Amino acid sequence: MTSAQKHDIPDGLNEEYYQISADILGSFNKYRPPLNIFSFKEDVSRIIPYYKVGGRLTNEQIEELLTMTKDGMIFVSREDHSVYVKHISYQLDLVLVDGNLKEKEIADIFTQALTRRLAEFFEQPVKAVFEKLWVDLMVLSEYLYTDIRRSRALVRRLHTEHSLENHSVNTGFLGLALWGKIKEKGFTDGVKRKTFDHVLAGLFLHDLGMAKVPVFIRSKEKPLTGDERSKINAHTKVGYEMLNKLGLRFAEIEQCVTQHHERANGSGYPLKSIKQDFAGSLCAVADSFCAMITKRPYAEPVGLVPASMALAQDAKYDREITKALQMLLMMDLKMKP
Ligand SMILES: [Fe+2]
Ligand SMILES: [Fe+2]
């Protein structure tokens, strides 16, 4: 029995309010919480305002608020969703302890947190910045390993604008949902947690070498010169060297970084190899798909289902993986062409 069930809280309240836990309360600024707070008044069975943003709580109120929160009597409004999402995105592990967030709200929080962390890391690709990103990636891993089907809500939140961080988030989300589809039955029996951590990180980090390519080349709309092209094509090798510097010597991460531009028919780069490891092939499909669905400097975006159909007909990609992608989008996510 949770503390909240001690009280007769009406059904439907959860549609309008989030009940908050002591962990969440503790993450707010003690005197000046970042959003309005409400309490449940049992005798009249109604939610009433407790604190308004801009005010200041007294020491007595802080104590009272903690007791009431532990009793399951304290709420914030879902109207403040954007403030709440932003707040939690800075302390991502809170999503694991907050039982009141809905799956789609958690998906919003992961999208915001990981996009920001990746942007920070690409801006400054050094170990100290990477460590914060890693912590958040492992929160995602914890969340999804419990139930890989949760990744489907993430696929509904893919970025539509292209940037290196947006593309990396999209590739991570899509690649994980796709993996969940491929191994639909008994995911955790077949996939060890460590392997999951490393493929997950590899998907998000596959283009880390691009952080070393000047932005004007990455976003150039005119055709690239030979020199610019070779700088871009070197990103898999540069990425591999960066992994070494970051101490990330894990097979699946390396496979994502070095193999995502290799193709099943040998037309890829840098090695033109025909045989890829599973993580490399998965990342290749996720990466190409995510490149197609956003507007890039050189091409217009393609719809999600048409993009998956194009890949399924392309002999350059692993057929089992592209088929699974089509099934995921059309059957499970019920997306229309
Ligand atoms: Fe790439
Ligand atoms: Fe990519």
Side-chain angles (χ1 to χ4, degrees), residues 89-197:
S89 75
Y90 280 96
Q91 294 173 71
L92 201 53
D93 53 342
L94 289 175
V95 300
L96 301 174
V97 295
D98 186 338
N100 302 300
L101 287 164
K102 294 177 179 174
E103 199 165 282
K104 57 185 182 183
E105 290 160 348
I106 293 179
D108 282 338
I109 293 167
F110 275 119
T111 307
Q112 214 173 98
L114 291 171
T115 307
R116 190 177 53 234
R117 289 279 187 233
L118 281 157
E120 287 163 359
F121 173 61
F122 293 143
E123 180 73 30
Q124 222 188 330
V126 297
K127 199 157 186 177
V129 182
F130 177 76
E131 272 160 11
K132 291 185 183 150
L133 169 62
W134 183 261
V135 169
D136 281 1
L137 288 175
M138 290 307 107
V139 175
L140 179 67
S141 178
E142 180 78 34
Y143 177 70
L144 293 182
Y145 194 71
T146 311
D147 179 2
I148 189 65
R149 291 165 64 94
R150 290 170 165 177
S151 57
R152 294 178 184 180
L154 301 172
V155 174
R156 296 196 185 279
R157 281 159 181 76
L158 299 182
H159 292 287
T160 52
E161 290 283 310
H162 177 79
S163 68
L164 184 54
E165 57 273 18
N166 286 0
H167 168 72
S168 302
V169 166
N170 285 1
T171 306
F173 286 177
L174 191 277
L176 292 166
L178 180 51
W179 192 13
K181 178 67 189 167
I182 293 166
K183 285 202 173 291
E184 207 164 19
K185 294 196 181 78
F187 188 82
T188 39
D189 299 333
V191 180
K192 290 198 185 95
R193 177 60 197 272
K194 273 272 163 277
T195 310
F196 188 66
D197 289 350

Side-chain angles (χ1 to χ4, degrees), residues 167 206-207 210 232 235-236 257 260-261 269 287:
H167 168 72
H206 75 280
D207 269 338
M210 280 288 194
I232 295 232
H235 78 279
T236 60
V257 170
H260 72 275
H261 288 290
Y269 69 88
D287 171 52

Side-chain angles (χ1 to χ4, degrees), residues 22-126:
D23 288 307
I24 299 281
L25 180 72
S27 74
F28 293 157
N29 180 305
K30 213 159 128 185
Y31 295 100
R32 299 180 184 280
L35 71 182
N36 297 331
I37 291 178
F38 301 84
S39 65
F40 180 70
K41 205 147 174 5
E42 218 166 0
D43 47 356
V44 287
S45 197
R46 273 178 50 200
I47 287 273
I48 55 164
Y50 185 88
Y51 159 86
K52 208 167 160 24
V53 168
R56 188 181 191 281
L57 294 169
T58 62
N59 284 326
E60 292 73 44
Q61 282 177 312
I62 289 168
E63 260 180 51
E64 181 187 52
L65 194 55
L66 180 60
T67 311
M68 288 167 80
T69 303
K70 284 179 178 162
D71 282 346
M73 307 292 265
I74 294 298
F75 296 79
V76 297
S77 168
R78 285 189 195 264
E79 277 181 10
D80 281 333
H81 177 62
S82 60
V83 185
Y84 197 56
V85 164
K86 192 169 172 203
H87 173 79
I88 296 191
S89 75
Y90 280 96
Q91 294 173 71
L92 201 53
D93 53 342
L94 289 175
V95 300
L96 301 174
V97 295
D98 186 338
N100 302 300
L101 287 164
K102 294 177 179 174
E103 199 165 282
K104 57 185 182 183
E105 290 160 348
I106 293 179
D108 282 338
I109 293 167
F110 275 119
T111 307
Q112 214 173 98
L114 291 171
T115 307
R116 190 177 53 234
R117 289 279 187 233
L118 281 157
E120 287 163 359
F121 173 61
F122 293 143
E123 180 73 30
Q124 222 188 330
V126 297

